Amino acid sequence: MTHAPFHPAARWAARTQFFCSGFIFATWGVHIPTVKAHYAIDEAGLGLAMLAAGFGALFGISRAGRWIGRFGAARMALVTGGVYALMIALLTHMPSYTGLLALLVAFGLTTSVFDVAINTEASQLERLDGRPLMSGMHGMFSLGGMAGAVSGGAALAAGLAPAWHLALVAGVMAVAVVAAARWMLPAALTASETPAGGAPRLSGSRRTALLVLGVLAALGLVAEGAMYDWSVLYLQQELGSPQQQAALAYASFSAAMAAARFGGDALRARLAPAPLLRASALLAAASMTLVLLTPSPWVALAGFAGVGIGFANVVPVLFAAAAQVPGVEPARGIAAVSAAAYLGFMAGPPVIGFLARASSLTAALAVVVLFAMALAVAAPRAARAAGGGTRAPVPSAD
């Protein structure tokens, strides 16, 4: 007999947190051209700003496992998620470019800890329910990204001042994050995952397993981060689209990714991870090639959708694998792989910015194709790194 699902309210709370995370990040993506114009910076300056967020994220990720171990995922999600939401309102209110860099360091720190907290929650829920949940949770992030991009584009088309739009998003998202945190799992279930006094040293094989998973996650998230941070600007700057239409690049990518992730749990339950990752990466590479070769904004939008489908299940599979490495606490495994993933997610887009300055944004975004191909080649290592445990758990029976 199959066990009943555990804490349905906690599942919906986690889904809400993932949705809010995607919505806030999409709002930042839509307003990257706004920030670029407001502070009168070029692609290199924008790349440095993204790198500042990356430094903050890496600092936060290095502390996330310890903080979650001490306070629990729910409390850390409440604090860091609430602050993360409110900071989006400050993007156009810093007194100088230096102030923007400082804000983005804090933005990256809170984003990364919030991300590890909600992924730890999702991993624990998946284990307690005994059925696939992680891809659906990340689908809510993508759905939030789509909603944030579409609403942001609509706000721009309606003539709403960017400062007012950012303030509105900050207020609504902060309320939603704080309210959802009340229904997350009790702290005892997530705080115990990483002891506050410090975890024992990992053996060489476990470190290697986490390193492999982290490198693969970084490859995927360099490309995913490029879509979040550069797709809107690419459509506007390289293909001459108005900002309202350019915002659809992010929406197309996020919508397709969300749809694929909502079907991803069924795929994870039925397919081995290596073939799934390989096929996904090849689809992403082919779709990004189409984006870079077409002069048509509408064909490019279709290409961005293909990229979204291709990268949809890379992170859910690898984060689930990190939570299943034998002898490693789930929160610690996720935090370790997240550190490498965030290095790709945050450092990749600035690198693309510097390459764009040296050549063109079109040439720089070819990095997405290269990294997707590398991920396809390396996909079999994911299953071996986690001891074959990257499939989602199946319901236990009496």
Side-chain angles (χ1 to χ4, degrees):
M1 181 175 135
T2 302
H3 291 296
F6 190 89
H7 286 312
R11 291 201 309 274
W12 280 107
R15 290 178 181 126
T16 299
Q17 301 284 30
F18 273 91
F19 179 89
C20 291
S21 180
F23 197 104
I24 297 165
F25 204 84
T27 302
W28 154 244
V30 167
H31 283 286
I32 283 175
T34 302
V35 170
K36 184 174 182 285
H38 182 81
Y39 294 96
I41 53 178
D42 60 11
E43 282 82 0
L46 190 58
L48 182 60
M50 295 173 186
L51 189 59
F55 283 130
L58 288 175
F59 178 80
I61 214 81
S62 70
R63 301 295 192 273
R66 183 183 309 169
W67 290 342
I68 294 167
R70 182 175 181 183
F71 300 111
R75 185 178 299 179
M76 292 311 302
L78 185 152
V79 173
T80 58
V83 173
Y84 168 45
L86 292 174
M87 280 196 296
I88 198 77
L90 302 178
L91 281 176
T92 58
H93 292 290
M94 303 312 293
S96 65
Y97 175 65
T98 302
L100 174 68
L101 295 179
L103 175 69
L104 289 176
V105 169
F107 190 76
L109 190 157
T110 54
T111 302
S112 64
V113 179
F114 182 55
D115 186 66
V116 174
I118 61 178
N119 274 284
T120 299
E121 177 88 355
S123 171
Q124 183 70 320
L125 284 166
E126 188 169 79
R127 292 200 302 154
L128 290 169
D129 271 18
R131 63 192 178 95
L133 293 172
M134 186 70 81
S135 290
M137 294 292 180
H138 283 263
M140 291 301 292
F141 176 89
S142 298
L143 187 63
M146 178 188 68
V150 170
S151 63
L156 289 169
L160 183 65
W164 281 106
H165 176 237
L166 291 167
L168 179 62
V169 169
V172 172
M173 291 295 106
V175 169
V177 165
V178 171
R182 294 186 55 208
W183 300 100
M184 291 172 69
L185 291 172
L189 291 176
T190 51
S192 60
E193 298 293 336
T194 304
R201 291 178 60 86
L202 295 176
S203 67
S205 62
R206 291 167 184 166
R207 285 198 302 270
T208 300
L210 293 175
L211 177 62
V212 168
L213 293 171
V215 169
L216 295 179
L219 289 175
L221 282 176
V222 164
E224 190 173 333
M227 294 300 96
Y228 289 132
D229 288 340
W230 292 107
S231 62
V232 174
L233 193 63
Y234 176 82
L235 219 60
Q236 182 183 36
Q237 180 174 292
E238 303 294 292
L239 300 186
S241 300
Q243 191 173 354
Q244 297 94 314
Q245 183 189 34
L248 294 177
Y250 186 98
S252 175
F253 171 79
S254 294
M257 178 171 274
R261 281 178 168 171
F262 285 127
D265 287 324
L267 288 174
R268 286 179 54 219
R270 291 167 174 80
L271 299 179
L276 177 58
L277 287 176
R278 187 185 298 112
S280 297
L282 290 174
L283 174 60
S287 299
M288 192 64 205
T289 300
L290 175 64
V291 169
L292 297 178
L293 293 179
T294 183
S296 167
W298 296 109
V299 174
L301 287 174
F304 282 128
V307 176
I309 294 170
F311 284 120
N313 288 299
V314 170
V315 170
V317 167
L318 295 176
F319 276 27
Q324 297 175 35
V325 174
V328 179
E329 301 91 340
R332 191 179 184 192
I334 290 172
V337 173
S338 293
Y342 264 98
L343 183 61
F345 191 69
M346 295 295 186
V351 169
I352 289 174
F354 293 126
L355 291 175
R357 187 180 186 184
S359 54
S360 70
L361 186 54
T362 299
L365 285 173
V367 168
V368 174
V369 179
L370 295 177
F371 278 29
M373 292 299 297
L375 180 61
V377 171
R381 295 293 303 272
R384 294 199 295 271
T390 55
R391 285 195 189 186
V394 295
S396 57
D398 290 334

